[in-house]
């Protein structure tokens, strides 16, 4: 078996820690600490960080060092606008051109999302658990990437893949999905797949565009809620008495 280059090992390790939320947005990245964690020299770590910087996952801050990139609202909106343009085009392009294998895979991924919805409903919980959220995200991304792969445009596939990775830095930090959102995604995927099978490029484009616009709306609403909560939390010391603040701090810390 061919051995994975050190640089690639380091890149995959750091990227996964960012996507999992272990290295949240704004976190300073230490080459020395990572080298000790992985058990390699700092050179492949440095090369991996350079690649992550090119992809937009990290950025250099003067007199501070390397930090995990934090998306602002306009950047988040731009990511979805680019995805909408590229993925709706890809959907139109591959309508009626999918192989039987691609159709089977897309159907399977739709079923995976439906299964997540059923598990959530049966659990009695309102929101997806971290495990179910990971299953949902994997099936969702897989569905979109199969369509992009079918287009045969590798550059377009790489661009969208990088955009989804960037947006996941944010989604790893935001609230999880409820049954309504999961069901909505499932329905969009089924409609897109139906249009693709029938060779209706205009309809496939339209459903894909609507799907990504809905995702954009939810992402921006989540961003706005987080900003509002942050503003309110920062204002608390000026607005509430000390004993009430202590109770709030205990609740946030999970104390009883």
């Amino acid at each position: 078996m061919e051995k994975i280059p050190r640089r690639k090992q380091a890149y995959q390790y750091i990227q996964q820690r960012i996507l999992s939320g272990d290295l949240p947005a704004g976190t300073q990245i230490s080459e020395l600490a990572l080298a000790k964690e992985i058990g390699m020299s700092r050179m492949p770590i440095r090369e991996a960080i350079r690649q992550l910087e090119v992809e937009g996952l990290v950025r250099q801050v003067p007199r501070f060092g390397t930090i995990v990139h934090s998306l602002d609202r306009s950047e988040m909106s731009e990511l979805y606008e680019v995805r909408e343009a590229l993925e709706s085009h890809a959907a139109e392009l591959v309508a009626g051109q999918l192989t039987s294998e691609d159709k089977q895979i897309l159907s399977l991924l739709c079923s995976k999302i439906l299964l997540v919805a059923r598990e959530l409903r049966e659990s009695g919980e309102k929101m997806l658990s971290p495990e179910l959220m990971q299953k949902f995200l994997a099936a969702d991304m897989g569905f979109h990437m199969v369509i992009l792969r079918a287009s045969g445009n590798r550059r377009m596939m790489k661009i969208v893949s990088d955009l989804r990775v960037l947006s996941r830095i944010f989604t790893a930090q935001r609230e999880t999905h409820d049954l309504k959102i999961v069901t909505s995604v499932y329905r969009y995927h089924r409609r897109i797949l139906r249009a693709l099978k029938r060779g209706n490029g205009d309809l496939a484009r339209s459903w894909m565009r609507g799907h990504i616009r809905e995702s954009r709306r939810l992402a921006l609403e989540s961003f706005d809620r987080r900003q509002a909560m942050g503003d309110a939390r920062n204002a608390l010391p000026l607005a509430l008495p000390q004993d009430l603040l202590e109770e709030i701090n205990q609740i946030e810390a999970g104390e009883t």
Side-chain angles (χ1 to χ4, degrees):
M1 182 182 298
E2 185 178 354
K3 190 174 181 180
I4 301 176
R6 289 280 197 175
R7 179 194 58 76
K8 188 172 183 180
Q9 288 181 39
Y11 168 83
Q12 292 175 341
Y13 178 83
I14 301 169
Q15 185 196 58
Q16 186 54 44
R17 288 202 60 193
I18 291 173
L19 296 181
S20 67
D22 288 341
L23 292 174
T27 301
Q28 185 177 14
I29 294 180
S30 167
E31 291 181 8
L32 181 59
L34 286 170
K36 290 180 178 179
E37 282 182 34
I38 306 175
M40 62 177 63
S41 69
R42 294 176 64 174
M43 181 58 70
I45 301 292
R46 188 173 297 118
E47 292 174 347
I49 288 175
R50 287 195 191 118
Q51 183 177 348
L52 291 166
E53 184 179 6
V54 169
E55 295 174 356
L57 271 71
V58 303
R59 61 191 178 94
Q60 299 295 329
V61 178
R63 298 185 298 279
F64 190 76
T66 305
I67 66 169
V68 178
H69 186 56
S70 178
L71 298 175
D72 60 28
R73 195 181 193 281
S74 63
E75 287 177 307
M76 178 61 64
S77 181
E78 288 171 0
L79 292 182
Y80 281 94
E81 287 175 4
V82 175
R83 278 191 57 201
E84 179 187 329
L86 295 179
E87 294 195 53
S88 60
H89 171 68
E92 181 179 27
L93 197 65
V94 305
Q97 305 298 319
L98 292 174
T99 64
S100 58
E101 181 182 3
D102 285 338
K103 292 175 186 176
Q104 289 177 356
I105 293 173
L106 290 171
S107 294
L108 174 63
L109 292 169
C110 284
S111 298
K112 294 284 187 182
I113 292 180
L114 182 59
L115 182 60
V116 167
R118 287 175 177 168
E119 288 187 40
L120 176 59
R121 188 183 296 111
E122 292 171 1
S123 73
E125 299 292 334
K126 292 184 177 180
M127 311 297 284
L128 291 178
S129 65
E131 294 76 15
L132 282 180
M133 186 68 172
Q134 283 302 113
K135 289 181 180 179
F136 170 81
L137 291 174
D140 179 43
M141 183 170 184
F143 184 89
H144 288 263
M145 299 314 290
V146 168
I147 293 173
L148 286 162
R149 183 185 65 186
S151 74
N153 190 320
R154 289 180 294 178
R155 186 175 296 275
M156 185 162 60
M157 186 175 180
K158 178 67 167 61
I159 291 171
V160 173
S161 177
D162 289 346
L163 292 176
R164 291 186 68 100
V165 166
L166 278 171
S167 64
R168 275 185 63 190
I169 297 174
F170 172 75
T171 57
Q173 295 292 311
R174 77 184 190 202
E175 60 262 33
T176 184
H177 292 337
D178 60 16
L179 184 59
K180 182 179 178 181
I181 294 175
V182 176
T183 303
S184 175
V185 170
Y186 168 76
R187 287 173 177 167
Y188 268 116
H189 284 196
R190 291 301 306 179
R191 290 164 180 160
I192 293 167
L193 180 54
R194 190 177 300 118
L196 293 176
K197 286 180 175 179
R198 292 176 178 174
N200 191 329
D202 289 340
L203 193 56
R205 170 187 279 273
S206 178
W207 282 127
M208 182 65 81
R209 182 188 298 119
H211 175 32
I212 295 177
R213 285 183 179 178
E214 176 66 7
S215 297
R216 173 179 174 271
R217 182 185 67 80
L218 292 171
L220 294 179
E221 283 183 358
S222 178
F223 185 95
D224 291 340
R225 278 194 297 270
R226 287 171 56 82
Q227 288 293 106
M229 289 174 62
D231 292 344
R233 187 174 292 110
N234 291 335
L236 285 178
L238 302 176
L240 299 175
Q242 185 61 35
D243 58 343
L244 185 53
L245 280 175
E246 290 176 357
E247 288 187 37
I248 291 173
N249 290 334
Q250 288 178 351
I251 293 172
E252 291 182 339
E255 300 177 7
T256 56

